Amino acid sequence: MEFHAFKSFGEMSAAAALAVAGTLREKPDCVLGLATGSSPVGTYDELVRMHHEEGLSFARCTTVNLDEYLGLAGTHPQSYRFFMEKHLFSRVDVRRDATFVPDGTAADPAAECAAYDARLARLGGTDLQLLGIGPDGHVGFNEPDDVFTPQTHVVDLAPSTIEANSRFFASETDVPRKAITMGMKGILLARKIVLVASGAAKRAKIDAAFSGPVTPRLPASILQLHRDVTVFWSET
Ligand code: GLP
């Protein structure tokens, strides 16, 4: 694992965006694994700047997001499809039919999960997977558990995740209790993983994840098994 520490969120985001842009420039038809949460927002802003000022193009890439709340349509302002539209898709030249986010309103969520994995397999996994890390060490929405789940699956969100994510909703009761998340196999299929995080609490989680045992109780610890992980962390 490569670890890069920065003073500010802006510097950290610029460095992470350079890594994503590097993959896009090397392989314009790459598959980008994308993440939501507040941590990648600066990375997306920087990628948008590069699109406008440096001609960085997303026109030939495919994007595959990590997760989506179960029950939220893509038009819901707190859905992750909506987040991606707002922070990236509507601001760059990506083809909408090449952007994939799990469908939170699928009539058959299990079938949606299986189809998501089948698509990921057809794409050959992602060339680069952008990740954040949750307060409990989750990646995507893979919550602490007794086992790692390889496949895309429906997950019950941990109380700490519901509480942490309630800041985006009118109240905690509005936060969906379940989500669809890419599983650990899908995440580890990535050729390169870029994890972005800020603040002391996330630093402690990252340290524990990369220096302690690999355990499903700290989901991000499985990233120790991947050969190309870069962590970009900032103090603020
Ligand atoms: C959500 C997302 C995760 C993300 C996490 C951390 O739970 N499902 O993919 O990593 O939030 O978010 P933040 O970066 O806002 O702390």
Side-chain angles (χ1 to χ4, degrees), residues 97-183:
D97 61 357
T99 65
F100 298 99
V101 181
D103 179 0
T105 59
D108 182 348
E112 170 67 11
C113 292
Y116 210 71
D117 279 338
R119 182 182 302 109
L120 197 56
R122 275 198 307 278
L123 290 169
T126 60
D127 290 291
L128 181 147
Q129 177 68 57
L130 188 61
L131 288 180
I133 181 169
D136 58 2
H138 69 236
V139 286
F141 267 135
N142 290 275
E143 297 282 27
D145 201 348
D146 295 336
V147 291
F148 288 114
T149 304
Q151 298 85 6
T152 296
H153 57 289
V154 174
V155 65
D156 289 314
L157 298 180
S160 63
T161 300
I162 293 168
E163 192 196 324
N165 291 0
S166 66
R167 67 188 195 276
F168 300 113
F169 291 81
S171 79
E172 198 171 308
T173 47
D174 292 336
V175 185
R177 269 34 189 174
K178 288 175 187 286
I180 292 177
T181 184
M182 193 188 283

Side-chain angles (χ1 to χ4, degrees), residues 208-233:
F210 285 96
S211 57
V214 174
T215 165
R217 289 278 142 218
L218 207 182
S221 66
I222 204 170
L223 301 176
Q224 285 186 43
L225 305 181
H226 194 276
R227 61 195 286 179
D228 189 349
V229 180
T230 309
V231 176
F232 295 96
W233 172 82

Side-chain angles (χ1 to χ4, degrees), residues 36-40 66-67 80 132-134 138 140-141 161 165 167 202:
T36 55
S38 44
S39 306
L66 284 169
D67 46 15
Y80 285 165
I133 181 169
H138 69 236
F141 267 135
T161 300
N165 291 0
R167 67 188 195 276
K202 295 283 179 82

